[in-house]
């Protein structure tokens, strides 16, 4: 009995250590980490930063994060949903991206497939996504009020853990003179 108990204790300790190592290896990244250092940031490209304004059309991806477990905060835009359950969504760096204003460059869009259906209360809900980042262009059909839009993302995260957050640390805020300024979410 003691021998079985000792083996169980050892297995639990090893699993606990492995879990702590996995969380220690999660890279907490920002949106700038997904684009080349020389690429203009949204403010420099006169928001909205769209692929057409960039020399490479935003298709240059950051390969140094390939296969790494990352955590990135952004705004969720459902691609595949049933009611309030979301099976796949686009993670974007600002509210209104893709549906209410021009699409960000592919290297600023992540296609996310949650490990479990995610219960979303509203489009552009701020979330943090944790999972393995895979660079590679993917196209998604986005159903919006005035039709269907094809959106190209530069990264995917499958089997992602998704949690709501209060804010996105490096969120792009739309300029005051933007017709989409109402999308800036402010908490009182």
């Amino acid at each position: 009995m003691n021998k079985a108990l000792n083996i169980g204790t050892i297995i639990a300790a090893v699993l606990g250590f492995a879990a702590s190592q996995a969380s220690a290896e999660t890279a907490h990244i920002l949106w700038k980490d997904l684009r080349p250092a020389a690429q203009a940031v949204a403010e420099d490209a006169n928001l909205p930063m769209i692929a057409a304004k960039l020399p490479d059309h935003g298709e240059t991806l950051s390969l140094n994060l390939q296969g790494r477990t990352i955590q990135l905060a952004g705004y969720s835009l459902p691609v595949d949903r049933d009611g309030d359950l979301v099976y796949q969504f686009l993670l974007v760096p600002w509210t209104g991206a893709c549906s209410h204003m021009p699409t960000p460059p592919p290297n600023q869009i992540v296609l996310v497939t949650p490990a479990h259906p995610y219960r979303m209360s509203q489009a552009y809900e701020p979330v943090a996504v944790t999972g393995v980042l895979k660079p590679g262009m993917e196209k998604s059909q986005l159903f919006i009020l005035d039709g269907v839009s094809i959106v190209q993302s530069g990264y995917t995260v499958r089997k992602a853990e998704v949690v709501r957050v209060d804010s996105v640390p490096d969120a792009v805020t739309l300029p005051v003179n933007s017709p989409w300024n109402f999308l800036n979410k402010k908490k009182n």
Side-chain angles (χ1 to χ4, degrees):
M1 177 80 173
N2 282 353
K3 188 173 185 180
L5 183 62
N6 287 341
I7 291 174
T9 304
I10 291 170
I11 290 173
V14 169
L15 290 175
F17 177 75
S20 69
Q21 287 298 101
S23 64
E25 294 176 12
T26 298
H28 297 269
I29 66 170
L30 300 173
W31 286 98
K32 67 181 178 87
D33 298 323
L34 297 180
R35 63 175 172 75
Q39 188 178 77
V41 295
E43 294 82 11
D44 297 339
N46 270 339
L47 255 174
M49 183 176 72
I50 57 173
K53 291 184 178 182
L54 302 172
D56 69 346
H57 300 285
E59 293 181 358
T60 303
L61 306 177
S62 179
L63 299 178
N64 62 336
L65 295 170
Q66 182 170 349
R68 296 228 12 229
T69 299
I70 58 96
Q71 183 177 67
L72 176 65
Y75 299 95
S76 55
L77 184 58
V79 172
D80 183 11
R81 75 183 309 164
D82 183 13
D84 64 348
L85 290 179
V86 176
Y87 299 92
Q88 195 170 59
F89 63 89
L90 298 174
L91 189 68
V92 295
W94 61 80
T95 59
C98 301
S99 67
H100 298 296
M101 58 192 322
T103 303
N107 63 17
Q108 296 293 284
I109 302 174
V110 180
L111 179 62
V112 178
T113 305
H116 311 285
Y118 176 71
R119 190 169 304 277
M120 186 181 293
S121 60
Q122 63 184 5
Y124 298 112
E125 186 170 275
V127 297
V129 171
T130 305
V132 177
L133 187 72
K134 180 182 174 202
M137 298 294 180
E138 294 232 7
K139 290 184 180 182
S140 302
Q141 283 189 10
L142 185 62
F143 295 95
I144 51 180
L145 291 176
D146 55 349
V148 176
S149 179
I150 304 296
V151 177
Q152 187 168 21
S153 54
Y155 301 93
T156 58
V157 176
R158 302 203 191 291
K159 297 181 182 177
E161 292 302 321
V162 182
V163 295
R164 282 185 189 91
V165 294
D166 291 330
S167 63
V168 176
D170 59 336
V172 174
T173 302
L174 300 173
V176 175
N177 62 353
S178 167
W180 304 109
N181 196 5
F182 70 92
L183 293 169
N184 288 330
K185 295 184 170 50
K186 299 201 189 254
K187 293 191 178 206
N188 295 342

